[in-house]
Amino acid sequence: MNRSVPEFAVVGHPNEGKSSVLSTLAEDDSVRISPMPGETRECQTFPVTIDGTEIIRFTDTPGFQNPRKTLQWMQEYHGRDEELIRDFIIAHKHDPAFHDDCHLLQPILRGAGIIFVVDGSRPLRNTDKAEMEILRLTGCPRMAIINCKDEETAWLAKWQTEFRKHFNSIRVFNSCRATYVERIALLESLKGIDQELQPVLDRVVTAFQDDWQQRNQQVSEMLLELLEQGLGYSRSVLLKSAADEEQLREKLHAGYVKSISSREKKCRERMRNLYKHNIFNCELPPHSILKEDLFSDRSWEFLGLNRSQLVMAGGLSGAAIGAGIDVAAAGLSFGIFSAVGGLVGAAGTALKGREFLSGTKLLGMRLDEQRLTVGPVKNIQLLYILLDRQLLFYSHIINWAHGRRDYDRLPGNTENLPVKVGFTAEWQGNKRKVCEHFFNSLQHREGYDLPGARTAMEQLITEELQEISTGGGC
Ligand SMILES: Nc1nc2c(ncn2[C@@H]2O[C@H](COP(=O)(O)OP(=O)(O)O)[C@@H](O)[C@H]2O)c(=O)[nH]1
Ligand SMILES: [Mg+2]
């Protein structure tokens, strides 16, 4: 094996999930996965590069075509052990009955380690035993992966017992659900298949971990920018006559909604790219709260802080609390912006005086001599909702295994949501303090230091991302 760039060949019976496992392990959604057995007839190598340097490569192979006869030939072979594979290929390369077997042995011949994939939700058959025996005869370092395509676990113990006879390492790994942590754990256990591989695989694992942290850091910077620009947003327009006021308010709101929506969308796109979902769009589950608009009632009901947390945050000022109605509007059902489009236009006069409905409290809209100004945002709840929406999307994208191509099979959010489904309502006071400080600094309040608040906020987000990706969170 080339010790600087290790290669692993993913082998097994057709349709067991070889390509799916490879796709997930290599975070590469260009790997062809097919419900039809036997579609892959040639090997294809997928390098994993980090910062432009190849660090490991995985080779997808056709499934075994004629394992029993291949094994028989190998058992009757009288040549030298080291030449077994080479001689098998020479003897069969022109025989169409062994086409796939010859091809799948090629990477093994050049020294690749073996990852044998089986679907552990079905019973063991004799052909499986033949395949394992062939791999054992190659003498190459090898591990077995049990990729359960169905929920059935009755056969798992049998598989494990059989595998112990033939493999140096065994792992259960679901190609459609494996997370970052499980990918790393799998790479770690590859070390166990050959002592010589340990140093190079140590480097690979470290490179994977560093790369992941770097990506998280980039997300964190991106989210900080989203918050800064989304909450600090401010625009003003000249008011020529009092009659224009309603229309201008509406225009300013629309401008704000457009700006924040496009920023949110860009963040999601960048996350998809960073986590290498280039081809498939990892659709959100049908009832996901993330399918809602930022200012929809449901977003404000299910995301962000709960009412008592908000009161504690002082996010609801004395005046707002006094005004009762604003508390309800700001904390719970806050459909102001969905109201803006429809209601203010259609029933503007009816709403006069109820300024929260036109978003005045949220955006700090004010009339200053001849100028109507919108922003910066006055309601800290928006900070939490923006964060929740991005953190939930992050969690969705990092947990979408690259080998997963089926959109309907896995359960998503259901319609019966609990009270709050985001991350921020779970945050303790210390985390919320960081957010409050940051929010107040954006308002240029006296006594708040923006650079310090930014640093603390960024650190908070980075830690949160790390926690979500290592198994914490929602
Ligand atoms: N439900 C489920 N389906 C899977 C899983 N792994 C693979 N499949 C499906 O099984 C079929 C064959 O997968 P593929 O990776 O192409 O198998 P290969 O022929 O061994 O490379 C595809 O339709 C996959 O979507 C799994 O873990 N769960
Ligand atoms: Mg395949």
Side-chain angles (χ1 to χ4, degrees):
M1 182 180 297
N2 177 342
R3 299 289 153 182
S4 60
V5 182
E7 177 182 5
F8 288 91
V10 183
V11 301
H13 209 68
N15 214 36
E16 297 284 285
K18 297 182 292 300
S19 304
S20 309
V21 164
L22 192 157
S23 173
T24 293
L25 258 185
E27 284 189 289
D28 189 334
D29 58 3
S30 72
V31 179
R32 193 173 148 65
I33 291 170
S34 159
M36 304 294 294
E39 277 206 356
T40 307
R41 305 298 312 274
E42 313 289 332
C43 290
Q44 194 180 351
T45 296
F46 295 87
V48 178
T49 54
I50 293 181
D51 295 333
T53 307
E54 184 181 354
I55 57 159
I56 190 168
R57 63 181 78 134
F58 296 99
T59 298
D60 201 12
T61 67
F64 282 98
Q65 183 180 355
N66 212 335
R68 287 179 211 226
K69 290 215 168 112
T70 301
L71 177 62
Q72 195 183 352
W73 188 93
M74 287 183 170
Q75 283 169 333
E76 288 164 5
Y77 174 74
H78 292 297
R80 292 171 49 203
D81 285 352
E82 312 81 272
E83 279 162 12
L84 171 76
I85 307 176
R86 202 201 62 182
D87 287 346
F88 175 85
I89 295 173
I90 292 171
H92 297 88
K93 66 179 173 202
H94 299 301
D95 185 345
F98 293 89
H99 173 278
D100 295 359
D101 306 285
C102 288
H103 276 79
L104 78 91
L105 288 169
Q106 286 288 0
I108 299 174
L109 179 63
R110 62 176 178 254
I114 295 169
I115 296 178
F116 180 64
V117 175
V118 296
D119 172 10
S121 57
R122 64 161 179 85
L124 192 81
R125 296 178 297 232
N126 278 338
T127 41
D128 300 314
K129 293 188 185 173
E131 288 167 11
M132 291 185 221
E133 187 56 15
I134 293 168
L135 297 178
R136 197 181 66 79
L137 290 175
T138 67
C140 289
R142 57 204 177 275
M143 98 175 292
I145 289 186
I146 305 177
N147 170 55
C148 289
K149 283 168 69 171
D150 294 318
E151 302 298 326
E152 179 61 72
T153 53
W155 311 104
L156 261 182
K158 269 229 156 61
W159 279 109
Q160 278 166 328
T161 310
E162 192 62 30
F163 277 162
R164 282 195 197 101
K165 300 183 209 159
H166 301 270
F167 294 92
N168 320 75
S169 175
I170 307 161
R171 277 207 86 87
V172 175
F173 181 83
N174 187 296
S175 64
C176 292
R177 295 185 199 180
T179 59
Y180 159 72
V181 173
E182 286 160 344
R183 276 196 299 121
I184 294 289
L186 181 62
L187 289 170
E188 288 270 4
S189 61
L190 272 178
K191 285 189 222 164
I193 69 175
D194 183 11
Q195 221 176 4
E196 272 189 58
L197 277 172
Q198 272 190 19
V200 67
L201 284 176
D202 268 334
R203 284 200 295 278
V204 170
V205 169
T206 309
F208 266 74
Q209 286 166 329
D210 290 350
D211 178 53
W212 191 264
Q213 267 180 15
Q214 263 178 35
R215 287 190 244 172
N216 280 352
Q217 184 58 39
Q218 286 184 52
V219 172
S220 176
E221 284 163 20
M222 187 171 90
L223 297 192
L224 190 72
E225 193 183 310
L226 170 76
L227 293 180
E228 265 182 332
Q229 311 214 332
L231 301 170
Y233 178 100
S234 175
R235 298 282 183 280
S236 61
V237 281
L238 206 58
L239 188 65
K240 294 203 186 90
S241 92
D244 294 341
E245 188 183 331
E246 204 61 63
Q247 206 188 351
L248 280 180
R249 273 177 192 275
E250 224 179 294
K251 210 172 133 197
L252 282 174
H253 275 133
Y256 178 68
V257 172
K258 198 169 158 215
S259 147
I260 190 103
S261 308
S262 91
R263 284 185 198 287
E264 279 199 297
K265 194 162 161 240
K266 274 202 195 106
C267 282
R268 288 190 188 186
E269 275 163 14
R270 273 199 64 202
M271 271 195 233
R272 265 188 57 196
N273 291 340
L274 268 176
Y275 297 93
K276 306 187 187 176
H277 287 288
N278 301 315
I279 299 177
F280 302 97
N281 65 7
C282 316
E283 238 169 75
L284 292 161
H287 302 299
S288 169
I289 190 73
L290 296 182
K291 286 200 156 172
E292 300 282 338
D293 284 342
L294 173 60
F295 294 106
S296 76
D297 284 348
R298 268 168 66 84
S299 292
W300 284 70
E301 188 179 351
F302 292 113
L303 301 177
L305 301 189
N306 61 41
R307 189 187 172 125
S308 59
Q309 289 170 326
L310 270 180
V311 171
M312 265 168 21
L316 304 175
S317 65
I321 290 171
I325 195 156
D326 274 345
V327 178
L332 301 167
S333 93
F334 204 83
I336 55 152
F337 275 96
S338 48
V340 167
L343 289 182
V344 172
T349 18
L351 296 170
K352 254 199 160 66
R354 298 172 64 185
E355 46 180 21
F356 71 92
L357 272 174
S358 58
T360 307
K361 281 285 186 289
L362 174 80
L363 283 176
M365 190 173 266
R366 63 190 184 277
L367 191 57
D368 198 0
E369 294 170 24
Q370 294 306 302
R371 300 190 75 80
L372 189 61
T373 303
V374 66
V377 168
K378 287 282 178 269
N379 187 336
I380 195 169
Q381 179 75 316
L382 188 61
L383 177 150
Y384 292 106
I385 292 178
L386 282 172
L387 265 178
D388 271 340
R389 282 162 64 87
Q390 295 297 330
L391 293 175
L392 284 170
F393 188 75
Y394 170 82
S395 165
H396 171 72
I397 215 77
I398 63 161
N399 288 315
W400 189 290
H402 287 74
R404 176 179 164 194
R405 302 289 158 83
D406 185 327
Y407 295 96
D408 309 321
R409 198 173 42 221
L410 303 177
N413 290 357
T414 63
E415 245 172 322
N416 305 317
L417 298 174
V419 184
K420 290 287 179 186
V421 296
F423 292 89
T424 57
E426 299 289 315
W427 286 359
Q428 298 301 310
N430 55 344
K431 290 188 180 177
R432 300 205 306 265
K433 276 265 163 329
V434 170
C435 298
E436 284 161 31
H437 197 85
F438 174 70
F439 185 74
N440 287 330
S441 309
L442 285 180
Q443 314 261 328
H444 303 294
R445 296 218 173 122
E446 241 175 80
Y448 287 94
D449 126 64
L450 186 56
R454 283 183 92 250
T455 310
M457 190 72 210
E458 192 176 332
Q459 197 179 338
L460 168 65
I461 301 174
T462 308
E463 284 168 11
E464 195 65 17
L465 298 173
Q466 197 62 18
E467 203 176 314
I468 296 171
S469 56
T470 50
C474 288

